[in-house]
Amino acid sequence: MADLEAVMDEAGLTNPRVREFVKEYAELTGAERIEVVNASDDARLLEEAVEAGELEKVGEGRYYSRSYFKDTARSEERTIVATSDEKDRGVYNNWRPASEMKPKLHDLMRGASAGKTMYVVPYLMAPAGNALEPWAAGVEITDTRTVVLHMIRMSRVGVQFVNDLEDPDHFVRAVHVSGDLENLGQGTDGDKRYFVTVADERTILHFGSSYGGNALLGKIAHGLRQGAYDGWASKKFLAEQYMLIGIHDKETGKDYHICGGFPSASGKTNLAMMAAPEALGDRYHVSFYGDDIAWLWVEEETGQLYGMNPEYGVFGVAKDTNETTNPNALASVGERTDCIFTNVAYNPTTGEVWWEGRTKEKPADRHGWLDWMGSPIADRKEDDSAPWAHPNSRFTTTLANVPNIAVDYDAPLGVPIDAIIFGGRTRDREPLIRAITDLAEGVYDGLTLGAEATSAAEGKEGVLRYDPMSNRPFMAYGEGDYAQHYLDIVGAAKDQPIFAHVNWFQRDAEDGHFLWPGYRDNLRPLLWLLQLKNGEVEGRRTAVGIIPTEEELNLEGMDIPAEDLERILTIDKARWQQEMGFREEHLQQFDRMPEAIWEAHRRVAADLANEQ
């Protein structure tokens, strides 16, 4: 082992508690050497990764990474929240005692980095100077260089973020050891992988993966699970899997900000990166703040609800990203962006990448193309329909590369939140948008957010896979306590945000076509929502919220059949009454659910029964 003290001295790492943490895990993992990383090391690390064959170049200033074929996604069943108090057990957080999990992870990590470099990555999950900065500092230790490169893109990296902490001991201790990926028994009874957040000790211990949220510990493990627990324990903030956008009205000069949660495959990233439709572009501009995480808090002096994206980059799903669905995303991974693609199809001869949905047709000339596992596509049989790219293939890029990034995305203040929206993919029941002006009913709606079951989540016909606040895989403590904390934080705001539920995915029952065109046109119902909050429109009241009238929606430049418009602005009473029964079963799973939420449920059910 190299002289740890000398290495940390040379890197300028002065926090004594961080230095103790580094020494403890250097000894435990048996790493041969350590390296303390700053953002300025990025170019050198990229060059080293290419030389070592860990990355390949994709044209000018773009890079390609291929993960082990059994290591391609988050693993919810192996993800655990551990604390010393069983009251923290929830339905979704896979709670286990810290006294059990810490020794188990230490045993797995012991000597597992022998012969490797242990990279020390000090990071910040907040704009510097933000009100929540005290909960945003962390240090990730990892034995994988590509993980470091992703962390530099996804967080603010440098020793300055941990050297001058008010409390030198108040940082998240995050340890990532990849393990022997080919011999971990992934998906078997002998699976050795564990992804553990010891929330009440602010310690993250992940073993057995080098992919995505399993390995980028500042992102999900800190940004969501640990952040949620910290927000609750401090009674200061919410950490949510929310996108965050700004809408600027050029005519009035006003700015609005909307955040919200969407389950997987429900259009969150496309909404976050959308541009205004051409017909409305002269008046409105949409700004991107983030597509995955938002921390929310109330500023004590003003009583204003604020939000910010703790991330510094985008870890986006490549599948179906194209010029129509998300042109801003494509621009953010153009040449000289230093972006990293993972598990897409790759042509080392031409330096091109491709994924399903990138173009309508696959590249006609298969020569030189390799699929996400590295196999030549030209060798495939003609009838081989296996995907070229993995369905969970990704691109990683910094926020600054996104063309419509907000000018104040890194400002310490954060932005005032005007609306909180939820949206799931459902072919019926949910109209285009329904607004909710009562806090408890808004939180109730978020707790019963769901999407239709997919191939990855089997479900009964007509039953949604519920994903409370789109935070189901990231719950850090009991759902009832979470609901009360949400009511307390947002309820403290003097100017209450308006809530809404949106659905871009209603289909015609006969031919299956989408009733709403979606993408850029999704701005239109959001503009109506802001007008409703401002008292400029009234909408039509229903038992489940306020729905726009056809006259109130700005449809300039659109050509939508009258029958389709009528359908997406209508409530199916019978379908909704069926849904209320499913919702009650869902909520009954959770301990300590606030009475305010049950009152909201009964109120909506009674209003439905009385609705003509």
Side-chain angles (χ1 to χ4, degrees), residues 394-459:
R394 297 280 179 158
F395 59 84
T396 310
T397 192
T398 58
L399 294 178
N401 284 330
V402 180
N404 66 327
I405 187 66
V407 293
D408 57 347
Y409 79 95
D410 204 26
L413 183 62
V415 295
I417 300 298
D418 298 285
I420 300 173
I421 64 174
F422 306 112
R425 177 184 284 266
T426 57
R427 64 180 58 231
D428 64 5
R429 183 177 63 82
E430 282 291 359
L432 177 65
I433 186 169
R434 51 184 179 86
I436 301 166
T437 56
D438 177 80
L439 171 62
E441 285 190 25
V443 176
Y444 161 73
D445 194 78
L447 293 170
T448 52
L449 170 64
E452 291 173 346
T454 66
S455 58
E458 297 297 330

Side-chain angles (χ1 to χ4, degrees), residues 186-244:
Q186 293 96 334
T188 70
D189 290 342
D191 201 328
K192 296 178 182 177
R193 300 171 300 156
Y194 282 100
F195 312 114
V196 180
T197 299
V198 189
D200 55 352
E201 297 184 25
R202 308 193 77 228
T203 296
I204 299 165
L205 303 172
H206 282 206
F207 176 83
S209 171
S210 290
Y211 186 84
N214 298 333
L216 312 180
L217 304 190
K219 180 175 171 54
I220 289 172
H222 183 170
L224 286 173
R225 290 189 195 92
Q226 186 64 58
Y229 195 92
D230 285 345
W232 175 58
S234 67
K235 308 304 178 191
K236 293 286 188 182
F237 65 101
L238 296 165
E240 304 294 324
Q241 195 194 19
Y242 286 177
M243 64 95 211
L244 176 59

Side-chain angles (χ1 to χ4, degrees), residues 587-608:
L587 291 175
Q588 282 173 342
Q589 302 175 88
F590 308 129
D591 294 335
R592 298 185 296 279
M593 185 58 63
E595 180 58 26
I597 301 300
W598 283 115
E599 287 176 2
H601 174 77
R602 291 190 291 267
R603 190 160 58 244
V604 172
D607 289 348
L608 268 171

Side-chain angles (χ1 to χ4, degrees), residues 422-552:
F422 306 112
R425 177 184 284 266
T426 57
R427 64 180 58 231
D428 64 5
R429 183 177 63 82
E430 282 291 359
L432 177 65
I433 186 169
R434 51 184 179 86
I436 301 166
T437 56
D438 177 80
L439 171 62
E441 285 190 25
V443 176
Y444 161 73
D445 194 78
L447 293 170
T448 52
L449 170 64
E452 291 173 346
T454 66
S455 58
E458 297 297 330
K460 295 181 290 185
E461 182 65 30
V463 181
L464 302 180
R465 181 185 187 267
Y466 290 111
D467 187 351
M469 304 286 185
S470 78
N471 223 24
R472 174 172 172 156
F474 316 113
M475 287 287 183
Y477 55 99
E479 290 81 2
D481 294 332
Y482 168 86
Q484 186 61 60
H485 181 53
Y486 202 110
L487 289 169
D488 292 343
I489 294 293
V490 179
K494 290 181 180 178
D495 182 14
Q496 287 286 293
I498 192 167
F499 286 83
H501 199 114
V502 299
N503 178 28
W504 323 130
F505 303 102
Q506 271 211 67
R507 289 178 177 265
D508 182 79
E510 293 184 5
D511 65 14
H513 77 270
F514 287 108
L515 303 182
W516 178 253
Y519 304 121
R520 297 170 71 168
D521 287 314
N522 293 339
L523 178 63
R524 300 173 190 269
L526 300 185
L527 293 174
W528 171 85
L529 179 67
L530 295 170
Q531 289 179 306
L532 182 70
K533 185 176 190 292
N534 292 339
E536 298 165 15
V537 295
E538 294 184 1
R540 179 171 63 85
R541 294 191 174 272
T542 75
V544 295
I546 303 171
I547 294 177
T549 65
E550 294 182 16
E551 296 75 23
E552 289 172 344

Side-chain angles (χ1 to χ4, degrees), residues 3 53 83 98-99 103 115 187 243 264 272 362 371 379 383 473 519 543 545 584:
D3 184 341
T83 68
S99 59
M243 64 95 211
S264 179
K362 295 173 180 175
D371 67 18
D379 292 350
D383 60 350
Y519 304 121
E584 185 161 349

